[in-house]
Amino acid sequence: MFGMIGLHYIDWWNKTTEIGYWLSEEQQGNGIMTRTVNSLIQHCFNELDLNRIIIRAASENTQSCAIPARLGFIEEGILREAQFLHGKYHDLVHYSKLRGDQK
């Protein structure tokens, strides 16, 4: 599998969603996911009329954390041991971007 991206949910009442993504190691480092996430952000704000987008990434996954930072998301905090993966708990960095943050 090459990779995947999607919306975990859409909260229509609060006009909020959360993006999740994964890319195979062989494809990393080429800007593919940054461009793909940016396209989905534009779709969420422009076509779905959402106001807030969330991304959560494991704190030790520096490549995954670099994507929201590169795309103008604001780091809001750390969710301690919020994800159980591969037999252990991981802290998640919580990022958000608002429609008004668009440049």
Side-chain angles (χ1 to χ4, degrees):
M1 181 180 277
F2 185 79
M4 56 195 305
I5 186 170
L7 303 177
H8 291 306
Y9 61 86
I10 298 177
D11 176 346
W12 292 108
W13 184 262
N14 292 301
K15 295 192 173 204
T16 299
T17 193
E18 183 175 348
I19 295 176
Y21 49 84
W22 171 85
L23 189 63
S24 67
E25 284 188 42
E26 301 82 35
Q27 302 302 322
Q28 294 175 13
N30 299 311
I32 295 168
M33 194 53 73
T34 300
R35 290 190 305 274
T36 305
V37 171
N38 190 50
S39 293
L40 187 53
I41 290 166
Q42 299 313 311
H43 177 74
C44 288
F45 286 144
N46 299 327
E47 304 301 321
L48 299 179
D49 193 34
L50 299 178
N51 184 61
R52 178 179 167 86
I53 300 172
I54 296 166
I55 293 177
R56 297 177 188 174
S59 59
E60 65 270 11
N61 187 340
T62 56
Q63 287 182 301
S64 195
C65 288
I67 293 170
R70 210 177 285 127
L71 294 173
F73 280 69
I74 303 299
E75 182 179 325
E76 294 186 328
I78 304 291
L79 303 171
R80 300 180 314 135
E81 296 186 0
Q83 183 179 51
F84 188 76
L85 185 65
H86 305 298
K88 70 176 201 167
Y89 290 98
H90 300 269
D91 293 348
L92 296 179
V93 184
H94 185 96
Y95 300 92
S96 73
K97 186 170 190 165
L98 305 177
R99 175 193 298 278
D101 295 337
Q102 293 284 85
K103 296 178 179 160

